[in-house]
Amino acid sequence: MTSEGRDTPIPATLNIVLLAAAMTACAGCLWLAAHADTWAVRLAAAAVFSFVNNTVFSLLHEATHAVLHPSRRVNDGLGRVAATLFPTSFTMQRAFHLNHHRHNRTRLEQFDYFRPGDNRLLKRAQWYSILSGLYWLFVPVGAVAFALVPGLLHRLRGTGTRYGEQTGADAYLGRLEDAPGAAIRWEVLLAVAVQAGLAVALDLSVTGWALCYAAFAVNWSGLQYADHAWSPLHVRDGAWDLRVAAPVRWLFLNYHYHRAHHRHPHVPWLHLGRFVDSGAPRPSFLRVWLSMWRGPRPLPATVEER
């Protein structure tokens, strides 16, 4: 074990308690959004769901880096459970997320800049799908599509095309060629079973479920690029340690400390604050998020890629 690992132990028991509590809170929000008498309460339930399901996602994120639990078997099992609330396949999520760490802020992940030769309409469509939450929808739909028709995603890669490079589809969907298809199909089936079980056990309505997941989609999706937008074009340093209200950061399990995470991806969430560089710029989440609504910018001539 490295000194970093000895100094930053995985909070396994806390993680299990948080996962159980957050998933229970999510179920309560889904029930309330379906059964409340007033729209105000339903909308409030959806808003709360958008935050507590991000706690679940943050624990799923820990599992993709094998720092949710010291036992790899338990870590992956808990990751599969957490993935059902997204809902997605844990194996797919891990493949895509680790690929993100390999390609962060390279040409494959510069959605905030117009590069020479880019299709600007396609880039804007990508950009606003992130901000609107539509990006979230591609994850569960893509997981189901891969489980049912594995060859379909291969055809969507756009191998060797400008589309495949500009969207990152070629690099990301290509990772699934080496992924265990059987594991992905079982995980998708598990996610469907959990979602169906919640719908039956809690007598959920389509409207209540859709309200909660729409709110979660916007909340989750916006952060996924706000912590990278306009950051240095550097694989490890191309992220921000964003400033945000402490209660929000707690619910997201320090996910806003994203530069620290990219520099130390195997440090559990509980210890990330110790790795935040006080000398580096720390913009507020709100400022970056609002600036994103103005759309992608031309790639500055002075920007260097590293």
Side-chain angles (χ1 to χ4, degrees):
M1 180 182 293
T2 65
S3 59
E4 186 175 275
R6 287 193 297 268
D7 295 340
T8 58
I10 297 172
T13 302
L14 176 60
N15 286 342
I16 293 172
V17 171
L18 286 174
L19 181 59
M23 293 185 74
T24 300
C26 283
C29 290
L30 286 166
W31 181 88
L32 194 56
H35 295 281
D37 293 330
T38 67
W39 275 99
V41 175
R42 293 179 184 179
L43 291 172
V48 173
F49 179 88
S50 77
F51 284 94
V52 292
N53 205 27
N54 264 296
T55 304
V56 177
F57 173 77
S58 295
L59 292 166
L60 168 60
H61 173 248
E62 294 290 290
T64 64
H65 287 285
V67 291
L68 183 61
H69 195 280
S71 164
R72 187 58 180 262
R73 184 176 179 179
V74 175
N75 178 89
D76 291 0
L78 293 173
R80 291 184 177 97
V81 171
T84 64
L85 260 285
F86 191 84
T88 189
S89 154
F90 170 67
T91 299
M92 284 185 71
Q93 179 64 25
R94 178 166 55 191
F96 287 155
H97 185 69
L98 297 183
N99 207 37
H100 159 62
H101 275 263
R102 282 187 286 270
H103 297 296
N104 178 45
R105 302 305 280 152
T106 66
R107 288 172 179 260
L108 298 175
E109 291 197 18
Q110 293 174 16
F111 309 124
D112 46 346
Y113 289 126
F114 290 120
R115 299 189 62 88
D118 277 350
N119 181 318
R120 294 200 168 201
L121 180 61
L122 176 59
K123 178 142 285 188
R124 287 193 178 96
Q126 273 188 288
W127 188 253
Y128 288 107
S129 73
I130 293 172
L131 283 171
S132 66
L134 186 60
Y135 171 46
W136 165 83
L137 186 62
F138 295 140
V139 180
V141 169
V144 172
F146 179 84
L148 295 177
V149 190
L152 176 62
L153 295 187
H154 175 75
R155 292 194 290 272
L156 294 175
R157 282 180 59 182
T159 304
T161 66
R162 186 69 186 177
Y163 151 79
E165 179 183 344
Q166 181 178 319
T167 62
D170 188 15
Y172 278 82
L173 297 183
R175 297 296 302 174
L176 296 183
E177 292 184 351
D178 300 323
I184 292 175
R185 284 187 283 275
W186 278 110
E187 289 165 0
V188 169
L189 184 61
L190 175 63
V192 171
V194 168
Q195 291 289 332
L198 286 171
V200 172
L202 302 177
D203 190 24
L204 300 181
S205 65
V206 172
T207 301
W209 186 93
L211 275 177
C212 286
Y213 273 95
F216 169 67
V218 173
N219 200 341
W220 172 82
S221 192
L223 178 57
Q224 296 312 301
Y225 212 69
D227 49 22
H228 291 289
W230 332 123
S231 66
L233 301 186
H234 189 284
V235 172
R236 288 194 315 118
D237 292 341
W240 303 116
D241 290 325
L242 295 169
R243 289 184 290 107
V244 70
V248 174
R249 179 168 52 78
W250 298 335
L251 283 169
F252 281 76
L253 304 186
N254 290 334
Y255 197 90
H256 296 86
Y257 290 156
H258 216 60
R259 184 173 186 265
H261 168 64
H262 270 266
R263 300 182 99 192
H264 306 276
H266 299 297
V267 169
W269 67 269
L270 190 63
H271 310 290
L272 273 181
R274 292 159 47 187
F275 295 88
V276 172
D277 184 353
S278 60
R282 293 194 58 201
S284 73
F285 165 76
L286 183 60
R287 183 175 71 80
V288 175
W289 183 78
L290 289 174
S291 74
M292 290 171 65
W293 285 97
R294 294 197 291 270
R297 306 170 181 174
L299 182 69
T302 56
V303 168
E304 296 182 2
E305 297 181 66
R306 292 180 289 167

